[in-house]
């Protein structure tokens, strides 16, 4: 099957399979809107208007309330998920998670799947990236190493599961015309990444963004 046909089927299947909390943004359990900001909150190098004031995301374990530091890539994923949900673009949330999955599991694929299949998965990721609207939703920084908030234990579980597969199961999950098994696997990975954590999103009001833009405009004129 062509890479674009397969990826399209996967995204469509995931759209109907992923828990609604990821599509509508309700996986973020706490949201804090601030009207006041400091100069440290202003991103002077922002390319997109929405990035002029920094968004802050905190994460803690649901089992012991222990804080977990998120990488820049993980924060970008969560920020883009929220933006897609606010723009009422559930299909783009699914596309984003599919891309993040293919990126983060690539090392596991390289160690455990046939080289031809690994190459096929990479081509599918490249094709899907071409259909992502970077101007509207943003994108990961090129130096981001990890996109999903997966713990080390989750990576071990995923790799052990894939390593135990026989060739027939590998084909069924990763290269079958019926993408049901693959979609179920991706859904499980998302649950490993998000369901055992509490996320808090702190962002700023529209009035705060307008004031920050005015401040930046004045400073640039003075320069």
């Amino acid at each position: 099957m062509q890479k674009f046909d397969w990826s399209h089927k996967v995204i469509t299947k995931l759209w109907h399979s992923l828990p609604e909390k990821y599509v509508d943004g309700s996986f973020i359990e706490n949201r804090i809107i601030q009207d006041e900001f400091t100069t440290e909150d202003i991103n002077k190098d922002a390319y997109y208007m929405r990035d002029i004031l920094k968004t802050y995301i905190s994460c803690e374990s649901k089992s012991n309330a222990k804080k977990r530091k998120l990488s820049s890539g993980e924060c970008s994923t969560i920020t883009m998920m929220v933006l897609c949900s606010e723009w009422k673009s559930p299909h783009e949330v699914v596309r984003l998670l599919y891309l993040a999955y293919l990126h983060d599991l690539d090392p596991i694929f390289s160690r455990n799947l046939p080289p031809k299949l690994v190459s096929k998965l990479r081509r599918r990721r490249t094709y899907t990236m071409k259909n992502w609207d970077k101007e509207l939703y943003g994108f990961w920084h090129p130096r981001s190493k990890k996109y999903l908030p997966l713990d080390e234990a989750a990576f071990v579980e995923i790799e052990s599961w894939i390593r135990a597969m026989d060739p027939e199961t590998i084909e069924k999950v990763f290269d079958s015309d019926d993408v049901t098994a693959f979609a179920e696997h991706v859904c499980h990975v998302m649950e490993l990444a998000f369901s055992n954590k509490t996320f808090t999103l702190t962002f700023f009001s529209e009035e705060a963004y307008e004031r920050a833009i005015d401040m930046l405009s004045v400073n640039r004129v003075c320069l």
Side-chain angles (χ1 to χ4, degrees), residues 34 36-45 51-56 204 212 215-216:
Q34 295 186 170
E36 299 302 323
F37 60 89
T38 68
T39 54
E40 293 182 354
D41 296 317
I42 300 177
N43 180 8
K44 298 178 181 178
D45 299 319
D51 295 332
I52 288 176
L53 287 176
K54 300 174 183 176
T55 298
Y56 296 94
F204 296 89
M215 288 176 62
L216 277 181

Side-chain angles (χ1 to χ4, degrees), residues 151-162:
D151 301 323
E152 187 59 35
F155 280 111
V156 171
E157 176 185 329
I158 295 166
E159 182 156 18
S160 297
W161 180 69
I162 294 176

Side-chain angles (χ1 to χ4, degrees), residues 7 11 92 95-96 98-100 102-103 121-134 138-140 142 147:
S7 291
I11 292 171
E92 298 309 315
R95 190 189 308 276
L96 176 73
Y98 175 55
L99 283 170
L102 290 175
H103 174 275
L121 288 167
R122 288 173 178 170
R123 289 195 299 272
R124 289 167 177 164
R125 176 169 168 254
T126 298
Y127 169 77
T128 306
M129 285 174 60
K130 291 179 179 178
N131 289 276
W132 178 257
D133 191 338
K134 296 181 182 180
F139 205 59
W140 294 282
Y147 298 164

Side-chain angles (χ1 to χ4, degrees), residues 170-215:
I170 287 175
E171 182 176 357
K172 176 183 177 182
V173 174
F174 294 101
D175 204 25
S176 172
D177 286 349
D178 183 352
V179 298
T180 301
F182 180 79
E184 290 174 350
H185 167 53
V186 174
C187 287
H188 178 64
V189 170
M190 296 309 150
E191 289 294 280
L192 290 176
F194 293 98
S195 65
N196 60 350
K197 302 173 184 70
T198 299
F199 298 95
T200 298
L201 178 69
T202 301
F203 55 104
F204 296 89
S205 66
E206 291 296 326
E207 293 77 10
Y209 277 99
E210 291 174 2
R211 296 201 304 274
I213 292 170
D214 290 340
M215 288 176 62

Side-chain angles (χ1 to χ4, degrees), residues 2 13 20 49-50 56 74 78 97 106 119 125-126 137 182 197 204 208 219:
Q2 295 293 322
K13 187 71 175 180
E20 188 67 22
M49 184 178 296
R50 62 177 174 273
Y56 296 94
E74 292 167 342
I78 294 169
L97 292 176
D106 184 74
S119 296
R125 176 169 168 254
T126 298
Y137 301 114
F182 180 79
K197 302 173 184 70
F204 296 89
N219 289 338

Side-chain angles (χ1 to χ4, degrees), residues 61 84 87 145 166 212 219:
S61 168
C84 288
W87 281 86
K145 295 181 179 179
D166 56 39
N219 289 338

